[in-house]
Amino acid sequence: MIPYGRQSISEEDIAAVVAVLRSDWITQGPCIDAFECALAGYCGVAHGVAVANATAALHIACLALGVGPGDWVWTSPNTFLASANCALYCGARVDFVDIDPLTYNISVAALQEKLRQASLDGVLPAVLIPVHFAGQSCDMKAIGALARQYGCRVIEDASHAVGADYQAGKVGNCAFSDMTVFSFHPVKILTTAEGGMVMTNSAALSQALQRLRSHGMTRAPADLQNKNEGAWYYEQIELGYNYRITDLQAALGLSQLASLDRFVARRRELAARYDRLLANLPLVLPRQAGYGRSAYHLYPVWVASERRRVVFDALRAQGIGANVHYLPVYLQPYYQMLGFRVGKCPQAEHFYRGAISLPLFYSMTDDEQDQVVAALSSALA
């Protein structure tokens, strides 16, 4: 089986993890700070706060912005569950903005109209969570301008997009947002086995995120509410969680970061090769906006919806680990129980009905890609 995604672990990565195992610190140690600083430097952002996974990152990012009961959070329906669930964890309500039919990211036009109507109705969202689907950035300059106009905060869900470019900078520099979240799951571009990180240019938000990932605890003299009783002393000043990452994971992430540009470059080569090899098949290929360069976490194609299941099953039967991303979140049974219904976001539903994600990963060979193309060509014949 050729999987749709796979981690790439080098001997250097293994050595980095073993070195931590032989050190004095396997968690809450210096490797975490090193990883945070290195990725922040790569992205061109002031702060990074590493956590156990991207779901935890989204949760505490919402909490750091004060999201709670009575608030609304808007996100894309074309995403993994966590982009919406994070709002519900905080007691807020969630709603969805339909996608652009070309990029499959949040439609700026749909967002603009939804914000206009929400302003008239007096129910503006506290936070927007645009999702950089498949590794391609949303149009963050336009989204940031709308957020400022309507008084919303912005968390970029860049779980697919570490290493991607937007305009003249890297995704994660938070030039048009309050925070950006990355995921380091094994099928993503860079892995820590499980893990995530929140990037921000705000020192206050960074400090809040650090507290929230570790039980709401602090030792910072300026934050203590009672007399400091000694070097052992800490205080819990808010309700936080144990969302910490370990030094083992951070060591792997730091080692992988040295290969990130190489990982992304190969994914771009493979995507360009798919573009050429699939050009004459009855498919819609993923389109790239002119404002950035995708990191290509996924290569999603679209087939006529009445053929999708047949094509998908044929690929699997030939050993091609195709996948589908995503059933619109609001069509999940849990969200149906919250009152969402079919027809809410027509473009997202249309995309889902024909979407197939083809295998794409750093170590994929040209021969393996040729097998995928041959199987897909046969399935579409």
Side-chain angles (χ1 to χ4, degrees), residues 291-369:
Y291 48 65
R293 297 184 71 202
S294 177
Y296 284 103
H297 164 52
L298 300 174
Y299 190 90
V301 299
W302 193 90
V303 303
S305 56
E306 65 272 13
R307 301 190 68 188
R308 197 266 299 272
R309 179 62 185 269
V310 172
V311 172
F312 183 89
D313 288 348
L315 288 172
R316 286 290 183 95
Q318 295 183 68
I320 308 303
N323 212 329
V324 171
H325 301 87
Y326 291 99
L327 174 70
V329 173
Y330 63 83
L331 295 183
Q332 295 287 350
Y334 179 80
Y335 280 83
Q336 295 278 285
M337 289 190 296
L338 297 180
F340 292 100
R341 294 292 179 263
V342 172
K344 179 173 180 58
C345 295
Q347 292 294 344
E349 293 177 26
H350 175 75
F351 172 65
Y352 165 69
R353 286 192 291 268
I356 299 177
S357 295
L358 300 181
L360 183 66
F361 47 92
Y362 169 73
S363 60
M364 187 180 196
T365 66
D366 288 359
D367 285 345
E368 286 175 323
Q369 191 175 35

Side-chain angles (χ1 to χ4, degrees), residues 25-36:
W25 295 91
I26 60 173
T27 192
Q28 294 180 270
C31 219
I32 297 169
D33 289 340
F35 181 37
E36 291 170 337

Side-chain angles (χ1 to χ4, degrees), residues 105 130-138 140 156-161 171 180:
N105 285 329
V131 178
H132 303 331
F133 176 71
Q136 178 171 211
S137 177
C138 299
M140 289 310 305
E156 298 176 62
D157 185 346
S159 295
H160 292 189
V171 168
T180 300

